[in-house]
Amino acid sequence: MFIYLCKKIAIPGNVRLRCISWNKDQGFIACGGEDGLLKVLKLETQTDEAKIKGLAAPSNLSVNQTLEGHSGSVQVVTWNEQYQKLTTSDQNGLIIVWMLYKGAWYEEMINNRNKSVVRSMSWNADGKKICIVYEDGAVIVGSVDGNRIWGKDLKGTHLCHVAWSSDSKVLLFGMSNGEIHIYDNQGNFIVKMKLSCLVNVTGAFSIAGIHWYHGTEGYIEPDCPCLAVCYDNGRCQIMRDENDHNPVLIDTGMNVVCIQWNHCGSVLAVAGSLKTTSQDKDVNIVQFYTPFGEHLRTLKVPGKQISALSWEGSGLKIALAVDSYIYFANIRPDYKWGYCSNTVVYAYTRPDRPEYCVVFWDTKNNEKYVKYVKSLISITTYGDFCVLATKADENQPQEEHETESIGATYVLVLCNSIGTPLDPKYIDIGPLFVTMTKTHVIAASKEAFYVWQYRVAKKLTAMEFNQVARTRKEGRERIYHVDDTPSGSAGGHLDYSRAIEFQGTRDPICAITASDKMLLVGRESGTLQRYSLPSVGMVQKFTLNCHAYQLSLNCNSSRVAVIDLSGVLTFFDLDTRVVTSTGEQMVGEQLKLERKDVWDMKWAKDNPDLFAMMEKTRMYVFRNLDPEEPIQTSGYICNFEDLEIKSVLLDEILKNPEHPNKDYIINFEIRSLRDSRALIEKVGIEESSQFIEDNPHPRLWRLLAEAALQKLDLQTAEQAFVRCRDYQGIKFVKRLGNLQSESMKQAEVAAYFSRFEEAERMYLDMDRRDLAIGLRIKLGDWFRVLQLLKTGSGDSDDALLEQAHNAIGDYFADRQKWLNAVQYYVQGRNQERLAECYYMLEDYQGLENLANSLPENNKLLPDIAYMFVRVGMCEQAVSAFLKCNRPKDAVDTCVHLNQWDKAVELAKNHNMKEIGSLLARYASHLLEKNKIFDAIELYRKANYFFEAAKLMFKIADEESKKRTKPLRVKKLYVLSALLIEQCHEQIQNAQKGKVKGKSSEAASALAGLLEEDVLSSTNRFADNAWRGAEAYHFFILAQRQLYKGSVQAALKTALHLRDYEDIIPAVEIYSLLALCACANRAFDICSKAFVKLESLETLRPEQRQQYEDLALEIFTRHSPKSNKKSDLDDMLDSIDGKLPVCVATGDPILEQRFWMCSVCKHCMKPKEASSRSFCPLCHSTI
């Protein structure tokens, strides 16, 4: 930052001032002094025009009001910005609250305790409460409307200062003995503050000021120190909060009177006086510090004694009360900003976010890109690129390729002009100074500097750029200590330990700059070290007469401009050889030019003798060290080339950083350009060309060429274009020379100067509508092209009309206005883009109609088909694929969309043989995911009944083993058997087809394969598919009959189960049989069942014992014989397979006539069949 005094206001009657306060919102300045003096002043606000011109804020007063009411010396003035109130107090303890009414201040409330004097008053952050402290220890907290909230008398203490925390929960009271006590907002004591800055201090001291920044504009860093406490002996501590045990400590070395933070908590001003050895009297000074204790600037102030200071709301001015005067100083802040390829990059803090908000504002298109960056240190720009230096985020893991520098604490991020990060580099040295050239980024701490040769490939995308940049090669990054003298021949290493071994240097780095050829490093002693680039070899050391703050090389690296800490600009010629008085030959010479109060400078990019500099509120342009007349502005210089200076009013932009205004970018022409323009306008081309000949510059020749073109002086124009090396201009002049018509030439010139409306009108006047259309086509203004085509007489060119419709369609499509685009594509007959628009609009009917309207094998059909596939519309996709003769894609689509029946049908219709493998693949995929039922359904739909049946039998067997409900298992076996029946039917049909000779080759092949598969199968169900169903059918039937009480029928049915031991567990069968036999008193069968049960190997010993015990109990009572054996003869015959069995009753069928099911081929007695509608086994309709 740079600061200079700019205005002085005298108080009438030479009344000494005691206090001053600047209202941050409305800009009023209140100053209090002796004899009851209280004034409210206001500086004139800038007009919009003055803002845009970049003029410094005016210093005339628009308000100058004396407020009457105090009799004693006014000691405290404080503003309440939220409620527009001013609170003042004098030495008699009288407090007055003033209010604003119609632009003037009036007394609103008054309070006088008459016991003690008010030492300090403070409003809280939201302006709703005020805390007033009296010298005798009384504390009052009141509300904004004048009500007392609470009061307290702190006995035995003398208060002198008070401050609120930002959340209004904590109050700090400063005592006259220098202690600071922490209280809560209800007046309860919490703890004494630890004062680290007073260690080893002897003698009396008192508090000079406590100021707690409330974060209203955000913080420059997360967890940033914001509570400043300063003592009159010059000791100061800056704390993160009231309990910070590790504060930032500063010894200002002066007698401090007053301290205050600026509007955003980035600068602390400390005002007081310094004893000088040469002069008897004290010198008034204001020191400026960062929240981390770094000293920024010192401002010397005339007068006997400074008594108070206050910042303006924007932080661009500071008011100082000295004796009976108010001094104003202007501040030029060190904004974090840069300029690359028409983009202004600037950073600011916001109260709602802990990071810096970095804005990349494209001034050409007025577009901005915002990026949030934690702990931003600086922004450096060059060409099209920008480097953001930040502290590394401890929580975020570093990238893999940065493993060499694990634990790196800083990051340099290379970005393009829209803020896209291209390449981050992690480094271990603090980048206090960063400079950039076309190929290198150089970052320096106080003792070492790091050189990174970055790769710039304009043609690469950001992603490819990253991949290129990641391959770190030896020598791309190097680090050097400032006391080393590298030769430049060695490769150099990225060795942080080497640079950090030297824990410091006696002569720290204070500034750096670089060009393509060299790197200059300035040191605090005045030494300037010159290194060659890219090899980084020490070339020479020069000695400057100052402590450099900013260095800048001209475009051919022959001179360096040096701005020192006090704002003095000097120049050093690096190449001049001079002979000293001792006869030695030296390289480098200090030039005579010296300017004071300079805060910015920029060399021209295209002329080593031209530069622009900012001195207070004026910009000077120098040519060969001679100044032109100054321009009034406060802008920061972005760019200086082509005799034009681009300047940006950062002060204005940062008042509303979210909405930068293009008016705040100003272009200044330097005198030679202004003079040439004036000469051309007033004198003529010939005389002007002589002047430009004497002061040649490509920009001036271009100016002459353009003026000559306007007047159709083609010879001069051609010569001028040759001089400024504009090949396109030369070609244009040649083309003009070949045109016969004068008006045609004028129209072409108008188009060349972008006066397109005028050129079009000229073409139309000449009845050359074709040229007007050609001009609009070049400009891409297709709406106008369409207009011109339609207004023309006769038939317009159909091809051109179509082209115009399609171009307008593209215009709408680019903006995603698909509905508008459709209308134009229809007229332009652009079926390809039309399909895309329908797809984006989700108008699938329109897409289907388009597909139907296209001829067969049209190249667009596959694309439309794939569009349908993407949205799952199988039928439409298939018809589109078939229309363009791609049946395989149609089948793939059906498979993809699970339309297997359609897939099989298509495969059959188009004689495709790979359908089997396709089904198998999909089925195995389903089985992997354990979706067996889906696989069965798939095979069933595809008529692969045998595969489906195999899977179904597998499920039925598993369910049977799980002891699931018998009815469910029966249903599964029935379904399996039905699938086998369908399979047999399919084989028979295929064979019939063979016989008749009508079958297709594919169908017969399929049938043959199936038959072979079924016949060769070792599956036990292939021969008798219904065994499982029969087993469970009889098992359920026997139990039903038993429960009904039909014990004989139950026994007959249970006897059938003996054949099904492979399906139903034997223990179940014989337990049921024993039960039925016992109930039927057929003890012989019961005995056999028990014998079988006791011999089962699957039983546990205790279960076998239970059966034996039960058998003993039954057969001791009943002999194992049955009298009803004759009744069971038929039954036993049917079991031997002689007689069919009725599936409804389990009885053998003795009659000649009986009913047989057409599906499962099982029989039923006619009597039973007549009373039923469904087959009891397979449940098919009778």
Side-chain angles (χ1 to χ4, degrees), residues 619-859:
M619 180 197 284
Y620 287 90
V621 177
F622 281 74
R623 184 190 288 275
N624 297 329
L625 306 184
D626 296 326
E628 294 181 5
E629 67 276 2
I631 302 163
Q632 280 283 327
T633 180
S634 293
Y636 286 71
I637 304 167
C638 294
N639 195 26
F640 185 4
E641 66 180 324
D642 269 353
L643 308 183
E644 269 194 334
I645 298 162
K646 191 183 282 278
S647 177
V648 58
L649 303 179
L650 283 174
D651 301 336
E652 297 304 324
I653 285 173
L654 286 164
K655 283 177 186 170
N656 186 6
E658 291 176 26
H659 303 101
N661 186 339
K662 274 185 103 167
D663 292 338
Y664 297 146
I665 296 280
I666 308 170
N667 289 312
F668 297 104
E669 295 184 342
I670 77 163
R671 191 171 64 194
S672 56
L673 183 55
R674 293 196 305 269
D675 290 355
S676 303
R677 185 169 271 125
L679 268 173
I680 289 167
E681 283 171 13
K682 290 173 188 169
V683 183
I685 286 171
E686 282 179 31
E687 293 79 354
S688 313
S689 61
Q690 190 54 51
F691 171 76
I692 293 167
E693 192 81 54
D694 299 339
N695 302 282
H697 189 281
R699 178 67 205 273
L700 298 180
W701 284 115
R702 194 176 322 126
L703 189 72
L704 182 68
E706 288 171 359
L709 270 183
Q710 297 272 29
K711 296 187 176 175
L712 295 179
D713 180 349
L714 300 185
Q715 190 179 352
T716 311
E718 186 173 5
Q719 287 169 355
F721 275 131
V722 168
R723 296 296 288 271
C724 66
R725 299 179 183 179
D726 184 345
Y727 182 68
Q728 281 85 357
I730 299 166
K731 293 284 282 180
F732 178 68
V733 173
K734 285 263 192 281
R735 192 156 64 79
L736 278 186
N738 295 334
L739 294 175
Q740 303 302 317
S741 155
E742 199 74 12
S743 53
M744 187 77 85
K745 286 180 186 174
Q746 283 170 350
E748 288 285 334
V749 169
Y752 180 82
F753 287 116
S754 304
R755 302 199 302 272
F756 303 118
E757 301 295 331
E758 190 183 319
E760 184 192 304
R761 199 172 55 251
M762 288 177 173
Y763 285 138
L764 291 174
D765 291 346
M766 289 184 273
D767 202 19
R768 289 299 302 271
R769 194 164 57 92
D770 57 325
L771 293 178
I773 289 169
L775 172 68
R776 289 297 176 185
I777 288 174
K778 270 186 205 164
L779 293 175
D781 184 356
W782 290 98
F783 289 97
R784 184 70 187 138
V785 169
L786 196 58
Q787 239 176 330
L788 289 168
L789 285 169
K790 284 179 179 174
T791 53
S793 55
D795 294 334
S796 54
D797 185 350
D798 287 349
L800 202 55
L801 206 56
E802 262 185 35
Q803 190 186 351
H805 281 129
N806 284 330
I808 295 172
D810 291 344
Y811 169 87
F812 285 121
D814 290 346
R815 284 152 187 79
Q816 299 190 349
K817 295 182 177 176
W818 308 108
L819 212 54
N820 303 30
V822 163
Q823 299 166 12
Y824 285 98
Y825 285 140
V826 165
Q827 288 174 293
R829 295 206 279 272
N830 189 339
Q831 291 156 334
E832 201 170 320
R833 293 306 299 269
L834 201 53
E836 194 183 322
C837 288
Y838 283 140
Y839 182 63
M840 297 308 284
L841 281 169
E842 298 180 18
D843 179 1
Y844 302 118
Q845 189 56 52
L847 199 58
E848 193 177 344
N849 295 343
L850 178 65
N852 294 339
S853 68
L854 291 172
E856 285 189 9
N857 295 329
N858 187 293
K859 62 175 183 177

Side-chain angles (χ1 to χ4, degrees), residues 1142-1159:
C1142 173
V1143 286
T1145 59
D1147 287 349
I1149 301 173
L1150 303 170
E1151 294 93 334
Q1152 288 296 319
R1153 296 184 64 188
F1154 52 83
W1155 176 87
M1156 182 185 276
C1157 176
S1158 60
V1159 177

Side-chain angles (χ1 to χ4, degrees), residues 917-1173:
S917 62
L918 206 135
L919 274 170
R921 196 175 73 234
Y922 184 58
S924 64
H925 164 73
L926 289 171
L927 292 172
E928 269 171 35
K929 292 190 172 179
N930 207 22
K931 294 183 177 177
I932 301 177
F933 282 108
D934 291 359
I936 292 168
E937 185 62 12
L938 164 72
Y939 279 132
R940 205 172 68 77
K941 277 189 176 179
N943 298 338
Y944 275 57
F945 298 115
F946 187 67
E947 297 296 330
K950 272 203 292 192
L951 288 174
M952 188 58 87
F953 276 127
K954 188 180 169 190
I955 293 175
D957 286 349
E958 281 173 10
E959 289 293 312
S960 170
K961 281 171 192 161
K962 284 185 202 166
R963 321 291 301 116
T964 317
K965 287 182 180 176
L967 185 60
R968 175 178 165 79
V969 180
K970 177 193 164 184
K971 285 179 181 176
L972 290 169
Y973 277 126
V974 166
L975 195 51
S976 315
L978 287 171
L979 287 167
I980 287 284
E981 291 298 332
Q982 282 179 291
C983 174
H984 288 313
E985 195 180 330
Q986 192 181 22
I987 294 168
Q988 284 166 3
N989 291 344
Q991 283 169 342
K992 279 178 197 169
K994 267 188 198 172
V995 174
K996 290 177 185 172
K998 290 176 186 174
S999 171
S1000 70
E1001 193 184 326
S1004 60
L1006 181 70
L1009 280 168
L1010 281 169
E1011 191 177 354
E1012 199 179 306
D1013 196 8
V1014 173
L1015 294 174
S1016 67
S1017 171
T1018 54
N1019 192 310
R1020 60 199 169 90
F1021 293 113
D1023 330 327
N1024 191 348
W1026 292 96
R1027 264 181 65 74
E1030 285 167 9
Y1032 272 92
H1033 174 71
F1034 289 132
F1035 184 60
I1036 294 165
L1037 182 61
Q1039 297 196 48
R1040 278 184 185 155
Q1041 287 167 333
L1042 187 63
Y1043 275 99
K1044 258 191 205 171
S1046 310
V1047 286
Q1048 191 173 2
L1051 178 59
K1052 286 179 185 176
T1053 310
L1055 281 166
H1056 291 298
L1057 291 174
R1058 290 178 300 174
D1059 284 350
Y1060 300 108
E1061 283 180 35
D1062 57 333
I1063 296 166
I1064 298 173
V1067 65
E1068 296 272 339
I1069 293 171
Y1070 290 105
S1071 295
L1072 181 63
L1073 186 56
L1075 189 63
C1076 292
C1078 190
N1080 205 33
R1081 306 191 70 78
F1083 293 114
D1084 55 341
I1085 297 173
C1086 184
S1087 168
K1088 286 175 186 172
F1090 268 108
V1091 169
K1092 189 78 176 173
L1093 279 171
E1094 286 167 25
S1095 65
L1096 287 177
E1097 290 173 9
T1098 54
L1099 291 183
R1100 291 197 303 278
E1102 61 267 24
Q1103 287 176 315
R1104 185 172 286 116
Q1105 187 60 46
Q1106 283 176 329
Y1107 282 123
E1108 284 173 5
D1109 294 349
L1110 187 60
L1112 194 64
E1113 192 180 330
I1114 293 170
F1115 297 118
T1116 50
R1117 290 186 196 173
H1118 305 285
S1119 163
K1121 289 178 183 175
S1122 174
N1123 304 326
K1124 301 181 183 179
K1125 186 162 180 146
S1126 58
D1127 299 341
L1128 293 169
D1129 285 345
D1130 300 338
M1131 183 71 220
L1132 295 168
D1133 286 348
S1134 74
I1135 289 167
D1136 294 338
K1138 293 173 186 173
L1139 297 170
V1141 179
C1142 173
V1143 286
T1145 59
D1147 287 349
I1149 301 173
L1150 303 170
E1151 294 93 334
Q1152 288 296 319
R1153 296 184 64 188
F1154 52 83
W1155 176 87
M1156 182 185 276
C1157 176
S1158 60
V1159 177
C1160 64
K1161 308 290 186 285
H1162 283 73
C1163 307
M1164 197 165 35
K1165 289 180 178 178
K1167 187 174 70 173
E1168 294 293 332
S1170 62
S1171 63
R1172 294 174 186 270
S1173 306

Side-chain angles (χ1 to χ4, degrees), residues 580-620:
T580 59
S581 51
T582 55
E584 280 184 74
Q585 196 179 46
M586 282 180 66
V587 176
E589 177 192 14
Q590 185 97 27
L591 300 179
K592 296 283 185 287
L593 180 70
E594 184 178 292
R595 303 289 296 203
K596 290 182 179 166
D597 292 328
V598 176
W599 52 271
D600 193 13
M601 77 84 56
K602 190 75 121 185
W603 289 98
K605 283 187 178 177
D606 46 15
N607 186 335
D609 296 327
L610 265 180
F611 69 88
M613 53 154 262
M614 298 300 304
E615 188 178 292
K616 290 189 175 174
T617 56
R618 291 184 295 277
M619 180 197 284
Y620 287 90

